[in-house]
Amino acid sequence: MSGNSSLTLDALDLSALLCSRVCHDVISPIGAIVNGLEVLEDDDDPSMREFALELIRKSARTASARIQFARIAFGAAGSAGASIDLADAEKVSKAMFADEKTQIAWSAPQALFPKNKVKLLLNLVVIASSAIPRGGLIDVAVTGGGDAPRFVLRAKGSHARIPPHVEGLIAGTPEGGTVDAHGILPFYAGLVARAAAMDVRFTIEGDEVTVTATPTEAAVGLPGAPAPSIEDERPSDSAPPDTQLA
C-alpha cells in the first residue's frame, strides 16, 4: 500500500478488532472481581474479607464504567441516526477515568448532538489520555452547535507526547498498511470523523498536547457541500440507567 492510500478494513475484521479492544478494557476489573470472590470463599479473616469486598466493589464500578463508555463510543447506542445528549457523554467520560491518575474537566453546552460527533468526541478523550502516559488533566471544550461543532481537548501532564502513529491511524494510513487491536481506536476514530465530516489535528507545546476537531470545508457550506445528515433529524438517545448495558 502506498503512503497516501487509505486502508479499508473488512467489516468482520473491524468488528473483531473493536471487540478485542473492549475485552482488553474490561478483562482486568473482571479478573479482580473473580479474585475477590475467591478470597471470600477461602479466607475467614475479617480484614481479608473486607479487603476482598472493597476490591469487588471498586472493580465492579470500573467494569461498569468502561462498558457504559464503550456502549456510546463504539456501539450503536440506540437506533441509527439518533442524537446523544452531551451531558451523557460527560458522565461516561468522567466515570471512565474516576479511579485513574487522569482527571477530566468538561465544558460543553447542554444539547443533543448527532451521534457520530459524540462518538468522535469520546474516542478523542481516550486518545488524549494516551498523550499523557503519567496522568494529568484533560480539558474538554465543545463549542458551536451540533451541525458545526468545534472540539478542543488539551491534555496536560508530565512527559506529554502525541501518541505514536496516531495521526496516520486517524488519517486511515497506518504505518505498514495494517492495524491491530492496539491501533484500532484511533483508526476507528478516523472512520467516525470522516462519517461526521470532521477534521482532527494534533499539536504539542511543552507538556500540553492539543487535539482539535473541526468541520471539514464541505461541512461548512463551501461549494459542493453535502446535504445535512439525516442523523440531525432523528430523535434523542439518552443514556440508559447504570444497570442497563445495551
Side-chain angles (χ1 to χ4, degrees):
M1 186 188 75
S2 67
N4 295 325
S5 300
S6 295
L7 173 66
T8 301
L9 279 184
D10 178 87
L12 290 176
D13 290 336
L14 177 62
S15 59
L17 288 169
L18 286 174
C19 286
S20 293
R21 170 73 196 209
V22 173
C23 290
H24 173 272
D25 287 346
V26 300
I27 192 65
S28 178
I30 289 176
I33 292 171
V34 172
N35 292 338
L37 291 172
E38 290 176 349
V39 171
L40 289 178
E41 291 177 354
D42 300 336
D43 201 318
D44 293 328
D45 180 79
S47 62
M48 287 300 296
R49 292 181 68 84
E50 179 57 33
F51 170 79
L53 285 172
E54 179 57 28
L55 176 64
I56 292 170
R57 283 191 288 264
K58 180 179 178 181
S59 300
R61 287 194 299 267
T62 299
S64 176
R66 292 180 179 182
I67 290 293
Q68 293 284 358
F69 184 94
R71 178 181 180 270
I72 299 180
F74 310 130
S79 61
S83 56
I84 298 175
D85 196 326
L86 287 177
D88 296 334
E90 177 184 6
K91 178 181 177 182
V92 297
S93 294
K94 290 184 173 179
M96 176 79 168
F97 295 96
D99 295 320
E100 302 288 338
K101 54 192 176 182
T102 299
Q103 302 299 312
I104 303 286
W106 192 279
S107 174
Q110 295 186 353
L112 300 172
F113 270 40
K115 183 169 62 179
N116 278 340
K117 292 184 172 68
V118 178
K119 290 161 72 75
L120 173 62
L121 178 60
L122 293 183
N123 278 272
L124 292 180
V125 169
V126 178
I127 292 171
S129 73
S130 67
I132 43 175
R134 298 193 179 184
L137 174 68
I138 300 174
D139 183 77
V140 181
V142 179
T143 55
D147 54 341
R150 175 182 172 86
F151 304 150
V152 179
L153 297 86
R154 294 183 172 88
K156 185 172 184 178
S158 176
H159 292 76
R161 81 281 192 274
I162 297 175
H165 313 302
V166 70
E167 292 172 290
L169 286 163
I170 287 182
T173 56
E175 184 177 344
T178 61
V179 61
D180 58 17
H182 296 290
I184 190 58
L185 190 147
F187 182 82
Y188 176 73
L191 293 177
V192 177
R194 289 186 286 280
M198 300 280 284
D199 286 327
V200 179
R201 297 287 183 268
F202 293 81
T203 59
I204 183 168
E205 183 175 351
D207 61 355
E208 182 174 283
V209 173
T210 301
V211 187
T212 305
T214 55
T216 60
E217 291 185 348
V220 294
L222 293 184
S229 170
I230 60 171
E231 68 178 3
D232 294 331
E233 302 172 2
R234 298 293 182 88
S236 167
D237 177 48
S238 297
D242 289 344
T243 56
Q244 184 178 344
L245 301 182

